[in-house]
Amino acid sequence: MSDTSPPRRGRGRPPKTARAPEGTRGMLVRAGVELLTEKGFSATRVDDVLNATGISKGSFYACFDSKQAFGRVLIEHYASYFNARIDRCLADGARPPLRRLLDFVHDARDGMQRHAFRRGCLIGNLGHEIDILPESFNTLLCAILRGWERRVTECLLEVYGAAPSAAQRQLCARISRYFWIGWEGAVLRARVEHGPAALDLFATFFFVQAADLLGVAAPDMARTIPPVSPGPPARVKTDPAAG
Amino acid sequence: MSDTSPPRRGRGRPPKTARAPEGTRGMLVRAGVELLTEKGFSATRVDDVLNATGISKGSFYACFDSKQAFGRVLIEHYASYFNARIDRCLADGARPPLRRLLDFVHDARDGMQRHAFRRGCLIGNLGHEIDILPESFNTLLCAILRGWERRVTECLLEVYGAAPSAAQRQLCARISRYFWIGWEGAVLRARVEHGPAALDLFATFFFVQAADLLGVAAPDMARTIPPVSPGPPARVKTDPAAG
């Protein structure tokens, strides 16, 4: 689940990027997302980001007022990238809704495999340190999770055609929420085990139940999107003392 | 999910505790488990533990060789406590297996509620920082998770009487693993939302499916263990800059 898209700009006053070359900001954001996805916010020091990029502290603070401001940009950047990824998987109206959701599972599994299951979900990581994060991060994380839920709910609702009932809306919203709850648990376990088995087990159980509740056929669990080519070898495990 | 039981002793050479009063070691372990459950390993400094207990650095290092050694003791201590808690819920052979597992869900939900859903699962927290932890922690976490799975598997197998078939064993093991995968996701979400809704939604979906697969009636989701009395008020949110 690495991230290569350009960072989003905030609203309101012009972003500090204007005072630094876009390349610097982009490099900081990329390295920051990578570190946050591996280590979380508290354990990531600004110095880690500087070491990973070779960028000076002065240039960092020309782009971002504080570590907290940097963190918010990283979260928004990751959310934007991940939303696009979900949307891409769920967009194909020619495929049944659950099949599209399974495409997302396969796509995200590929993303984890590229990093030898050593990186998880940045949002999940932050959730685990929620009580030592700035309060504004919490609001942001909840909004992002609701956005993921809404996307899957809308996809599932297509099962019911153009005018789903209130009960059908509620059912789809609950199934969507159950999906994301379990998915974060599966991603966590896949990281601990450094392998895909938990993702596959989760998908097998979830899709059977979701299909049953929606009254549709369960999707064939076989992959129908082409597998990604093997990525670069996993990075050498860093010395934990350096974390 | 706070922890008040005495710490376990390791095997092999006599533990360093022998050189410090048990009270000191016990206080350090209690404070350490609390900090680890809230913040994880990387963000918890030895100084945090000293500040929380008023114990000197010298006394800390009289008990533990290093932060890593301290971390292992905390993990083992938490696992021992949590295993006993699971066993207590699953032990009542007069109640149907799924009912007992639901008792565990209610018990753990009460535990989170006592801390206003601001503390999660120490093992889940550590899973999120797995790649910056000592390699030995990973082995330990996997063993603990397997222990939890084994406990629930054995409980579910009682559905099939004294001599379950290999297929029944496999089914129970898969349902157990699916439970723990989803449960960790639900605990994470409950922390982010500071409320029980995710735990309840997870339980509603999980128990219906598990009952269906096992060919038994789903347990009534209503609580049948007495609710705990409200605990002390949640602690004031700490300044994230101090984390």
Side-chain angles (χ1 to χ4, degrees):
Chain A
M1 297 195 197
S2 66
D3 200 344
T4 53
S5 57
R8 285 171 74 193
R9 297 279 175 79
R11 289 184 186 175
R13 65 179 182 141
K16 273 198 156 183
T17 358
R19 304 209 305 268
E22 181 61 32
T24 301
R25 185 181 164 95
M27 281 171 70
L28 289 168
V29 169
R30 271 193 294 278
V33 167
E34 194 166 314
L35 284 162
L36 236 68
T37 310
E38 280 195 8
K39 300 171 61 165
F41 187 73
S42 309
T44 299
R45 300 165 308 164
V46 170
D47 280 348
D48 296 332
V49 183
L50 304 182
N51 290 340
T53 55
I55 289 170
S56 71
K57 191 166 282 193
S59 297
F60 177 89
Y61 284 106
C63 294
F64 304 100
D65 285 326
S66 62
K67 182 185 169 189
Q68 182 171 334
F70 182 53
R72 278 192 67 90
V73 169
L74 299 184
I75 295 171
E76 287 170 355
H77 179 81
Y78 180 86
S80 170
Y81 149 79
F82 203 71
N83 282 344
R85 191 159 161 177
I86 297 170
D87 289 342
R88 194 176 63 239
C89 292
L90 301 185
D92 183 358
R95 295 161 77 75
L98 285 180
R99 176 74 249 175
R100 285 180 253 162
L101 185 55
L102 182 58
D103 289 344
F104 163 77
V105 166
H106 286 152
D107 180 65
R109 185 185 189 282
D110 289 345
M112 288 194 77
Q113 192 153 27
R114 276 196 292 278
H115 298 287
F117 297 95
R118 289 179 183 274
R119 286 197 204 158
C121 168
L122 186 142
I123 305 303
N125 279 4
L126 293 173
H128 270 273
E129 48 179 345
I130 195 75
D131 284 309
I132 52 171
L133 296 179
E135 192 71 37
S136 67
F137 281 23
N138 197 342
T139 312
L140 192 53
L141 293 192
C142 284
I144 290 166
L145 290 166
R146 278 197 302 274
W148 294 357
E149 287 179 12
R150 195 172 53 245
R151 284 171 163 81
V152 170
T153 300
E154 292 302 321
C155 173
L156 298 180
L157 276 170
E158 291 183 36
V159 165
Y160 298 117
S165 68
Q168 288 166 338
R169 285 196 170 277
Q170 191 187 31
L171 175 65
C172 290
R174 284 167 60 85
I175 294 172
S176 167
R177 192 162 149 76
Y178 185 61
F179 171 81
W180 286 110
I181 287 170
W183 176 251
E184 285 292 341
V187 167
L188 171 62
R189 184 64 79 94
R191 276 189 83 187
V192 173
E193 297 176 348
H194 295 324
L199 302 178
D200 296 341
L201 183 79
F202 165 77
T204 302
F205 275 78
F206 170 80
F207 282 100
V208 166
Q209 185 175 30
D212 186 48
L213 289 167
L214 293 167
V216 299
D220 178 354
M221 296 304 290
R223 168 189 298 282
T224 56
I225 55 171
V228 294
S229 60
R235 296 189 319 166
V236 175
K237 189 173 166 69
T238 52
D239 178 359
Chain B
M1 299 196 196
S2 66
D3 200 345
T4 54
S5 57
R8 286 172 72 193
R9 298 279 176 79
R11 291 184 186 175
R13 64 178 184 143
K16 273 197 158 185
T17 356
R19 302 210 305 268
E22 181 61 32
T24 302
R25 186 182 164 96
M27 282 172 69
L28 289 168
V29 169
R30 272 193 292 279
V33 167
E34 194 166 313
L35 285 162
L36 235 68
T37 311
E38 280 194 9
K39 301 169 61 166
F41 186 73
S42 310
T44 298
R45 298 166 308 162
V46 170
D47 280 348
D48 296 331
V49 183
L50 305 182
N51 290 339
T53 55
I55 289 171
S56 71
K57 191 166 283 192
S59 297
F60 177 90
Y61 285 106
C63 294
F64 305 100
D65 286 325
S66 62
K67 182 185 168 188
Q68 182 172 333
F70 182 53
R72 278 192 68 90
V73 169
L74 299 184
I75 295 171
E76 287 171 354
H77 179 82
Y78 180 88
S80 171
Y81 150 78
F82 202 71
N83 283 344
R85 191 160 163 176
I86 298 170
D87 289 342
R88 195 176 63 239
C89 292
L90 301 185
D92 183 359
R95 295 161 76 76
L98 284 180
R99 176 74 251 177
R100 286 180 253 162
L101 185 56
L102 183 58
D103 289 343
F104 163 76
V105 166
H106 287 151
D107 179 66
R109 184 186 191 281
D110 288 345
M112 289 194 76
Q113 193 153 25
R114 276 197 292 277
H115 299 287
F117 298 94
R118 288 179 184 276
R119 286 197 204 156
C121 168
L122 186 143
I123 306 303
N125 279 5
L126 293 174
H128 269 273
E129 47 180 346
I130 196 73
D131 284 310
I132 52 171
L133 296 179
E135 191 72 35
S136 67
F137 282 23
N138 196 342
T139 312
L140 191 54
L141 294 192
C142 285
I144 291 166
L145 290 165
R146 277 197 304 273
W148 295 356
E149 287 178 12
R150 196 173 52 244
R151 283 171 165 80
V152 171
T153 301
E154 291 302 321
C155 174
L156 298 180
L157 276 170
E158 293 183 34
V159 165
Y160 297 118
S165 69
Q168 287 166 339
R169 286 196 169 276
Q170 191 187 30
L171 175 65
C172 290
R174 284 166 61 83
I175 294 173
S176 168
R177 191 162 149 76
Y178 185 61
F179 171 80
W180 286 111
I181 287 170
W183 175 251
E184 285 292 341
V187 167
L188 171 63
R189 184 62 79 93
R191 277 189 82 186
V192 173
E193 297 175 348
H194 295 324
L199 302 177
D200 296 340
L201 182 80
F202 165 76
T204 302
F205 275 79
F206 170 80
F207 282 100
V208 166
Q209 186 176 30
D212 186 49
L213 289 167
L214 292 167
V216 298
D220 178 354
M221 296 305 289
R223 167 188 300 280
T224 55
I225 55 171
V228 292
S229 60
R235 297 188 318 166
V236 174
K237 189 175 165 68
T238 51
D239 176 2

